[in-house]
Amino acid sequence: MDRAVFWLYRLVSGALCLLPLAAVFRFGWALGTAAYFVSGRYRRLVLRNLGIAFRAEKSPDELRALARKHFATLGANLLSSIKLPRLSRAEIERVVKMDGVETLKAGAAAGKGFVMVISHLGNWEMFAQLSPILFPCPVGTIYQALGNRFIDAEVRRDRARLGLSVFERKEGFGAASKFLREGGAVGVLVDQHAGDAGLWCPFFGRLASTSTLAATLALRTDSLLVPAAVYTDGVARWRCVIHEQVKARKFTSEGITKWTAKVLEQQIRRRPEDWFWVHNRWKLPNPKFLLATYKRGVAIPTAFRSGQTLQPFRILIRSTNWLGDAVMSIPAVRAIKRGRPDAHVTILTPAKLADLWKQVAEVDDVIGIESADSVFSVAKKIRRDFEVAILFPNSLRSALEAWLAIIPRRVGFPGHQRAWLLNQIFHGKKKKKNAHTEPPKHQVHHYLALAEFIGADIENAALPPIRNPQSAIRNPKIGLVPGAEYGPTKRWFPERFAEVVRAVSASRECEWILFGVQKDAPLGDEILRDFTGKHRNLIGKTTLAELIAELRACDLLLTNDTGTMHLAAFLGVPTVSLFGSTEPALTGPLGDHHHVIRHHVACSPCFLRECPLDLRCMKAIEPAEVIATIAAALPEE
């Protein structure tokens, strides 16, 4: 197949070479114009890239017009590059104007090598023809072999005829370094996506993986850095512009790489239709699109720290549907936000939990899902400029919402026949051989593992430290949550709660505040039936925002294993938590100053909602033990 393609290439190139250069240019212009209309995939890519670069400066109509001109210009230059190797030096000099040649002469006089910082601007293949004209020294280029070995061999032969040395990228850079030390000039393309090996720095205000090769070669050989570009300057006419040289020793590798990105942006702005926009310059890494753990990291120029802002990398996180689970996912959200400096985090959540997420400083925006919202109405709400959707629930619906919203990267756990809706699936970490002997990991690590999978640094991803309790508290406020949404197996007995309330109030003056949903009202009534001490019964009477405000004022919370327990932990309120059918190692409150009371019985943890026996796990918790724990948790008056 390679040979057949090569002979087709030879046939086409031979035919083109029979035409005048201007005719080849115009023919390429026509082909490029046609490609704009027939190549939907590349047209969309070009429009996306132009939008990233110029959305704030140009209207949609202007961007489309620029895209059409780009396709035409690219077609003209690509076809012209086939004809160029057949032109004489005199013919090349007639079609190219050159600015800044004196820069090269000055560098050569100093006996330095040149790292030519070049890019896919205009007719970049023209550099090969210009090398013997421009440079008073040997010239080479870093080269990546073409996929077709026959065409690749012909391109190499064409360049060898011009005296151009070729250093193939995969063979390393030792030969290129030696060439530079001997006073040669080496061209290095700096505008391509550099993948995992690149340094992430702003390019048109958007973080992009940028090659450090030019910086590495220049610093290693003490060479001069010289940016250059070949612009289209009319029909079959070009202009080569050579910029002022820069001494590499004045900068670090990071500084040079940021500088090359800035210079390239300035060059592109001069003639934006000339750059190679069909290249996915802002390609999203897979799987680690968060950048916290990349070896070269992120480099932000001073200008972006002192005024300029990065274009936001918009992340949608689909929250879980339960309060406790949502709180346990907050450390993962924090890690995701810290994963890259341009992260803009939006939480998609059931409306009942919106007030929780508004308390999280790392969350930039909250979109609520009302109970009446359909899959399609939710998809419409989130059909914005999101780059990725991270799904904490493993439901089919949550994946379908993101898919219908056409969010390009959709990440989540497998399950519920939804793999076809995701394009990045986290199957969990491989279990170690001795995993069965290790203690179970808390549910918080379930979400943190997903954050780590996409590139977050989870080392310090934890809830904020507990607030420092006062050395003494007069008349403490003690919250009480007697219910549990999960089911009866999580609920301690109301008569025992009542005994604790009476005993604690008898030993010190305090105020009890009862919390819960409306269906817990009978439990509250039973607990307070014979209680005459200071109390407020807020069961069924608070919104989530009001519950948060009330909990903040509490000095302690006595609770079953509930979402309110996790909310209190998030707010820094110490808890005394009673566990029955569930496992505190998996879902206990996070942080310090929490007291968990749980008695292991033969059938626990069963994780059942209804007990088939006699609730022996809850019966094992005696009021005296709870009273003593509360006394220990509250500082003395």
Side-chain angles (χ1 to χ4, degrees):
M1 179 59 74
D2 277 0
R3 190 178 293 278
V5 171
F6 169 69
W7 284 113
L8 179 62
Y9 165 79
R10 287 293 301 270
L11 179 64
V12 171
S13 62
L16 289 174
C17 289
L18 296 175
L19 300 173
L21 182 60
V24 173
F25 184 95
R26 288 192 172 94
F27 183 46
W29 186 279
L31 287 178
T33 301
Y36 171 82
F37 294 101
V38 301
S39 181
R41 174 188 171 191
Y42 285 108
R43 182 177 65 249
R44 287 189 294 272
L45 176 59
V46 169
L47 287 171
R48 174 184 177 271
N49 288 340
L50 288 172
I52 290 171
F54 300 115
R55 186 179 290 119
E57 306 170 26
K58 298 180 184 295
S59 68
D61 286 343
E62 288 174 322
L63 291 175
R64 283 190 289 272
L66 180 56
R68 287 194 296 272
K69 191 172 183 181
H70 164 65
F71 271 87
T73 305
L74 180 60
N77 282 317
L78 287 177
L79 254 63
S80 297
S81 67
I82 296 175
K83 172 83 173 179
L84 291 178
R86 309 299 183 264
L87 300 183
S88 66
R89 174 168 178 163
E91 288 172 317
I92 291 291
E93 290 177 330
R94 277 199 299 271
V95 297
V96 183
K97 293 180 181 179
M98 290 172 279
D99 300 337
V101 178
E102 61 279 359
T103 295
L104 299 178
K105 293 178 180 177
K112 296 284 188 180
F114 299 98
V115 173
M116 300 302 298
V117 181
I118 59 177
S119 62
H120 294 86
L121 259 168
N123 197 327
W124 61 88
E125 283 295 327
M126 181 68 77
F127 278 118
Q129 316 306 317
L130 290 175
S131 295
I133 301 172
L134 288 174
F135 294 93
C137 61
V139 182
T141 184
I142 304 295
Y143 179 77
Q144 186 164 326
L146 300 176
N148 187 304
R149 58 193 174 97
F150 300 106
I151 297 177
D152 181 71
E154 176 147 317
V155 171
R156 286 173 181 264
R157 285 193 295 270
D158 285 340
R159 293 183 174 177
R161 282 195 295 268
L162 295 166
L164 193 66
S165 299
V166 174
F167 305 104
E168 192 165 345
R169 182 180 291 269
K170 70 178 182 180
E171 294 175 356
F173 306 112
S177 298
K178 182 175 182 293
F179 192 82
L180 285 165
R181 290 191 186 99
E182 293 172 352
V186 174
V188 179
L189 288 163
V190 298
D191 61 334
Q192 296 171 299
H193 175 74
D196 294 350
L199 176 70
W200 290 83
C201 57
F203 182 54
F204 284 96
R206 177 74 171 261
L207 287 180
S209 178
T210 305
S211 172
T212 61
L213 178 56
T216 301
L217 286 175
L219 290 171
R220 184 183 293 177
T221 61
D222 191 24
S223 298
L224 299 172
L225 289 152
V226 183
V230 176
Y231 298 99
T232 308
D233 204 27
V235 176
R237 293 292 184 271
W238 295 272
R239 181 178 295 274
C240 177
V241 178
I242 299 169
H243 298 264
E244 287 295 322
Q245 63 192 25
V246 172
K247 294 180 179 179
R249 276 190 172 179
K250 291 184 177 181
F251 303 97
T252 62
S253 176
E254 179 181 300
I256 293 172
T257 305
K258 290 188 291 186
W259 169 79
T260 60
K262 181 180 178 181
V263 168
L264 176 60
E265 182 178 332
Q266 292 169 346
Q267 290 175 329
I268 292 171
R269 287 183 178 278
R270 177 169 174 165
R271 285 190 68 90
E273 67 273 17
D274 257 339
W275 191 53
F276 196 67
W277 294 101
V278 294
H279 169 58
N280 192 357
R281 183 65 183 90
W282 292 278
K283 185 177 181 181
L284 200 59
N286 185 2
K288 296 188 176 184
F289 53 80
L290 299 179
L291 310 175
T293 57
Y294 272 84
K295 64 178 181 179
R296 297 194 187 276
V298 179
I300 308 297
T302 305
F304 284 91
R305 299 192 188 103
S306 60
Q308 286 182 260
T309 56
L310 290 171
Q311 290 192 36
F313 182 81
R314 299 188 181 277
I315 301 171
L316 178 75
I317 299 178
R318 174 59 161 91
S319 168
T320 59
N321 297 322
W322 298 94
L323 177 59
D325 289 342
V327 173
M328 287 186 284
S329 70
I330 289 175
V333 172
R334 288 195 165 114
I336 290 167
K337 174 67 173 183
R338 293 198 303 266
R340 43 189 301 159
D342 56 348
H344 182 283
V345 173
T346 298
I347 299 291
L348 176 65
T349 179
K352 64 182 181 180
L353 300 182
D355 287 320
L356 165 68
W357 289 111
K358 291 175 183 177
Q359 303 294 317
V360 181
E362 290 78 6
V363 172
D364 300 292
D365 195 12
V366 177
I367 300 175
I369 302 173
E370 303 295 339
S371 57
D373 280 339
S374 67
V375 169
F376 300 100
S377 61
V378 172
K380 185 177 180 180
K381 285 184 179 183
I382 60 176
R383 196 170 291 136
R384 305 182 185 179
D385 292 331
F386 291 114
E387 298 284 346
V388 298
I390 302 169
L391 312 177
F392 285 162
N394 65 348
S395 64
L396 176 63
R397 171 170 176 155
S398 63
L400 187 57
E401 291 165 349
W403 184 80
L404 289 170
I406 321 177
I407 298 174
R409 182 71 63 85
R410 301 174 299 279
V411 188
F413 302 99
H416 296 87
Q417 306 299 315
R418 68 179 195 164
W420 63 280
L421 297 170
L422 305 176
N423 46 28
Q424 193 168 322
I425 300 175
F426 177 53
H427 293 279
K429 294 183 178 180
K430 292 183 179 179
K431 292 184 178 180
K432 299 177 182 178
K433 291 182 179 180
N434 61 342
H436 62 283
T437 64
E438 295 180 355
K441 284 193 173 183
H442 196 281
Q443 178 73 7
V444 70
H445 295 286
H446 174 70
Y447 304 110
L448 284 173
L450 177 58
E452 185 179 31
F453 170 64
I454 57 177
D457 181 358
I458 65 170
E459 286 300 315
N460 299 310
L463 290 169
I466 199 81
R467 63 185 179 187
N468 293 323
Q470 298 174 347
S471 57
I473 302 176
R474 293 183 59 82
N475 306 327
K477 293 183 178 181
I478 306 175
L480 173 58
V481 182
E485 187 74 13
Y486 185 78
T489 56
K490 277 192 176 185
R491 299 177 195 142
W492 204 39
F493 309 105
E495 64 274 15
R496 294 193 180 186
F497 274 123
E499 184 177 343
V500 170
V501 167
R502 290 193 298 269
V504 172
S505 295
S507 65
R508 66 184 300 171
E509 189 174 344
C510 60
E511 179 182 3
W512 289 89
I513 308 171
L514 274 62
F515 302 111
V517 296
Q518 185 59 49
K519 67 180 181 180
D520 296 331
L523 297 175
D525 292 341
E526 185 175 349
I527 292 168
L528 298 173
R529 180 182 303 147
D530 300 319
F531 182 62
T532 58
K534 190 174 183 181
H535 69 274
R536 286 187 293 149
N537 187 354
L538 300 182
I539 293 179
K541 299 176 183 178
T542 60
T543 63
L544 180 56
E546 292 167 339
L547 173 61
I548 290 170
E550 290 287 347
L551 280 175
R552 286 189 193 278
C554 287
D555 300 293
L556 185 70
L557 179 71
L558 173 60
T559 177
N560 296 313
D561 176 13
T562 64
T564 306
M565 172 193 72
H566 292 290
L567 180 59
F570 166 66
L571 297 173
V573 178
T575 64
V576 173
S577 306
L578 314 180
F579 275 72
S581 66
T582 51
E583 173 55 61
L586 296 174
T587 59
L590 292 167
D592 301 323
H593 301 285
H594 298 295
H595 303 265
V596 172
I597 301 177
R598 184 271 188 107
H599 291 285
H600 189 83
V601 296
C603 54
S604 66
C606 66
F607 301 105
L608 297 174
R609 294 176 182 269
E610 301 276 349
C611 180
L613 301 174
D614 56 358
L615 285 172
R616 59 190 64 180
C617 56
M618 279 300 191
K619 287 180 179 177
I621 302 174
E622 295 289 343
E625 182 180 7
V626 177
I627 293 166
T629 304
I630 291 175
L634 285 173
E636 296 182 2
E637 297 182 69

